Amino acid sequence: MGRGLNLFPGQTITGRTVDRMRSDQIRQGRLAGERSAGLEHFLASMDTDRWIVEADLLVDMAHLLGLRQQGIIDEGPARALMAALLDLHDHGLPAEAFDERFEDIHAGKEACLIDRVGEDIGGRLHMGRSRNDEVATCIRIRLKQEIIALAGSLLDLRTTLLDVAGMHTETVMPGFTHMQHAQPTTLAHYLLAYEQAFSRDTARLREAYARVDVSPLGSAAFASTGFPLDRDYTARLLGFSCPTANSMDAVAARDFALEVLGDIAICMTTASRLCEELVLWSTAFIGFVDLDDAYCSSSSIMPQKKNPDVAEIMRAKAGTATGALAAAITITKGLPMSYNRDLQELTGHLWRGVEAARESIPLLAGMIGTATFDLERMAAEAGRGFSTATELADVLVREHGLPFRTAHRIVGRAVRHGSLDLATLEAAAQEAAGISVVDLGVTDERISAVLDPRHAVSVRTIVGGPAPAAVAVQLEEQRRLLDNDATWTEETGAALSRAHEDLISESRRMIL
């Protein structure tokens, strides 16, 4: 084998060429004339087809096994075709199959097969099949693999968030609304908020997987075929749960791709929010976190700079994912039934969105796992900006019977005067409500205790709160969900890999 180009793990395009490969065999019957290189490039989908090369060969093998099982193709041609397909699977498609004159890899691969075994044999593989159901099946196969891989990356990220949160259940820090100091919380509570979001991302991907997991193969152009195909058999060979129910919907539908892109866009939006905070937190004027040097770059002119470039690029990748979703929806929204060539353009956006998440999520896990948090700096900021004022108002309600709105007005007026000490609070109470908090029994000692950020955190023990006991419950529940998702990811990935391995084994048995 010659030197190859990487397509995906375990798959290459060999450097050899196929002699005498024909011009696009699909055009030879109905169409005439030569196309310019520019026109060929405009129509070609070879760049995005590199994502589905392996899946396309699996689809060919399953289809051929189905043709043979149903007696649609004789044993001799079937064996010759399968031998050629296995050789391509084992050694990679020749570079010539990716020539843009073939428009797509399906036509290029078919030309390669015909060149190897002759048209009398190679021309029989496409019986009962269209490129429409072929590409739809390939996309679903590859997308299932990508969903499983992304779910696995999210598991690693969630594990990291839970592990770091578990070390910081009592690490007090300020919480913010409107980017202003709001109330004290803990670093664990903060990290768990993101873990919850990524947990939902995993759940969405699991739900989407079920809708991707149906096989269009056998739907042909859109009206199925007169050949007696066993669609349940080929669906099972390819690791699908079942065939699609309607042949027109099978080739026209891309809502499964839109759904996954939507899930990815949501996930990447959350990742971008986290990256935005890491960028802010790493600045000198906030100083909550020091990112590992591996995730930072320096300046070409300013030698002191340590820039959070990975986090910044990840924010941009969220834009890539969202843009891919918007483009895919826009392409789809005006298409009549059933298949339209516009869908070729959608596929590229699908893979761009997938790639943005596939690259980003593992890096985000590494960035969080290696970060160093400045606990003293967080604690120092936890009580700034009158962040414990709400707890003081709550104490006036719980311990002294004031209506909350009255307590809110008193404490707010004291903040306006610049202090929450007893003297200022007393003046504010007289001014705002005509009452005396001293007469109610409020003391300097009690105010001092209430204004301690750790006290404000400790009393918030209800479900979902930041108190260490409440956070411990959250950690336990999220680890349970994580274990459930890990089991699904492992079992689903193993089942899909096993189905494909069995398909290859069955294909090899055909030529023994």
Side-chain angles (χ1 to χ4, degrees):
M1 186 194 308
R3 187 169 65 90
L5 303 174
N6 289 331
L7 288 177
F8 42 77
Q11 182 66 46
T12 60
I13 304 172
T14 64
R16 65 185 179 187
T17 61
V18 177
D19 296 332
R20 303 180 308 282
M21 279 182 64
R22 308 170 181 217
S23 60
D24 186 356
Q25 68 278 5
I26 297 173
R27 291 177 53 84
Q28 292 172 4
R30 175 64 176 84
L31 304 175
E34 296 294 327
R35 286 173 168 168
S36 68
L39 182 54
E40 288 179 342
H41 179 73
F42 183 80
L43 290 168
S45 60
M46 291 302 186
D47 287 343
T48 56
D49 286 349
R50 295 175 188 275
W51 283 76
I52 59 171
V53 172
E54 182 183 42
D56 202 18
L57 289 168
L58 294 174
V59 169
D60 282 350
M61 293 176 199
H63 183 60
L64 181 55
L65 287 169
L67 293 176
R68 181 66 195 123
Q69 184 204 52
Q70 298 299 100
I72 300 170
I73 188 172
D74 293 335
E75 181 180 357
R79 286 169 57 87
L81 268 171
M82 189 62 81
L85 287 171
L86 286 167
D87 183 63
L88 294 176
H89 174 270
D90 293 341
H91 300 103
L93 283 179
E96 187 72 9
F98 288 83
D99 193 298
E100 289 185 342
R101 70 178 181 272
F102 296 118
E103 291 189 3
D104 56 41
I105 192 55
H106 316 295
K109 173 172 50 64
E110 184 179 4
C112 174
L113 288 171
I114 290 173
D115 184 78
R116 291 188 175 200
V117 298
E119 185 167 309
D120 185 56
I121 294 175
R124 298 178 186 274
L125 180 59
H126 214 57
M127 290 186 292
R129 187 179 72 176
S130 165
R131 284 186 294 183
N132 297 353
D133 63 329
E134 183 179 1
V135 70
T137 307
C138 293
I139 291 171
R140 286 176 181 267
I141 290 172
R142 182 61 191 267
L143 193 53
K144 285 169 60 179
Q145 295 170 330
E146 293 293 343
I147 290 172
I148 293 168
L150 183 53
S153 295
L154 284 168
L155 290 174
D156 292 339
L157 173 57
R158 290 164 58 193
T159 299
T160 299
L161 289 168
L162 291 172
D163 287 346
V164 178
M167 295 185 289
H168 293 286
T169 58
E170 298 189 14
T171 299
V172 178
M173 61 170 282
F176 301 91
T177 62
H178 309 279
M179 283 300 293
Q180 305 291 320
H181 285 67
Q183 292 178 281
T185 185
T186 65
L187 181 56
H189 191 237
Y190 165 85
L191 293 172
L192 280 173
Y194 277 107
E195 196 282 331
Q196 288 275 344
F198 290 122
S199 175
R200 293 191 296 273
D201 291 325
T202 309
R204 276 187 282 268
L205 287 170
R206 287 183 59 173
E207 293 164 6
Y209 187 92
R211 285 179 280 279
V212 179
D213 190 26
V214 289
S215 172
L217 190 61
S219 299
F222 78 91
S224 77
T225 176
F227 290 99
L229 301 177
D230 184 345
R231 295 189 61 212
D232 288 291
Y233 173 67
T234 54
R236 186 168 61 254
L237 286 174
L238 290 167
F240 286 104
S241 61
C242 62
T244 51
N246 181 284
S247 60
M248 183 180 290
D249 175 63
V251 301
R254 291 297 184 274
D255 56 333
F256 68 91
L258 299 181
E259 181 177 7
V260 175
L261 276 174
D263 295 344
I264 286 173
I266 293 169
C267 176
M268 288 300 295
T269 297
T270 300
S272 180
R273 294 181 68 179
L274 178 51
C275 286
E276 170 70 8
E277 291 191 297
L278 290 175
V279 169
L280 291 173
W281 285 15
S282 66
T283 59
F285 52 86
I286 295 180
F288 284 178
V289 69
D290 182 22
L291 298 176
D292 189 88
D293 285 357
Y295 297 91
C296 300
S297 300
S298 191
S299 167
S300 63
I301 187 173
M302 296 171 283
Q304 83 281 8
K305 293 300 294 297
K306 179 178 178 180
N307 301 324
D309 285 11
V310 170
E312 291 174 343
I313 291 174
M314 207 173 297
R315 286 187 308 194
K317 292 289 186 181
T320 297
T322 303
L325 172 62
I329 290 174
T330 304
I331 288 168
T332 309
K333 73 176 184 63
L335 298 184
M337 285 291 177
S338 55
Y339 182 82
N340 298 271
R341 189 70 180 272
D342 312 52
L343 294 176
Q344 173 180 300
E345 191 72 9
L346 183 151
T347 306
H349 294 295
L350 173 61
W351 301 138
R352 276 186 284 278
V354 165
E355 188 170 41
R358 185 175 64 174
E359 293 176 339
S360 298
I361 299 305
L363 294 178
L364 184 55
M367 191 159 49
I368 295 294
T370 58
T372 302
F373 296 96
D374 191 331
L375 310 188
E376 292 184 3
R377 173 70 176 151
M378 287 180 163
E381 286 292 324
R384 294 191 191 276
F386 298 101
S387 68
T388 51
T390 302
E391 179 57 21
L392 180 57
D394 287 347
V395 165
L396 292 177
V397 174
R398 289 196 304 265
E399 298 180 8
H400 303 286
L402 292 183
F404 177 76
R405 192 52 59 203
T406 302
H408 183 279
R409 187 164 62 252
I410 291 171
V411 174
R413 186 63 58 89
V415 169
R416 183 196 296 184
H417 292 321
S419 175
L420 290 177
D421 62 18
L422 181 58
T424 306
L425 193 66
E426 173 69 10
Q430 298 276 3
E431 179 183 331
I435 62 175
S436 168
V437 295
V438 173
D439 290 346
L440 293 176
V442 178
T443 65
D444 280 314
E445 293 77 18
R446 184 59 180 146
I447 291 175
S448 179
V450 167
L451 294 182
D452 184 344
R454 296 184 183 278
H455 168 82
V457 168
S458 68
V459 298
R460 281 157 170 75
T461 59
I462 65 172
V463 173
V471 166
V473 174
Q474 293 176 52
L475 282 165
E476 183 178 358
E477 174 62 16
Q478 291 309 115
R479 290 193 186 280
R480 186 188 66 78
L481 291 175
L482 182 73
D483 289 343
N484 180 273
D485 288 335
T487 298
W488 178 87
T489 303
E490 181 179 355
E491 292 180 352
T492 305
L496 185 60
S497 296
R498 188 164 53 249
H500 294 169
E501 291 167 3
D502 290 345
L503 170 58
I504 297 298
S505 298
E506 186 67 21
S507 299
R508 294 194 192 282
R509 280 193 290 271
M510 175 186 277
I511 64 173
L512 292 178

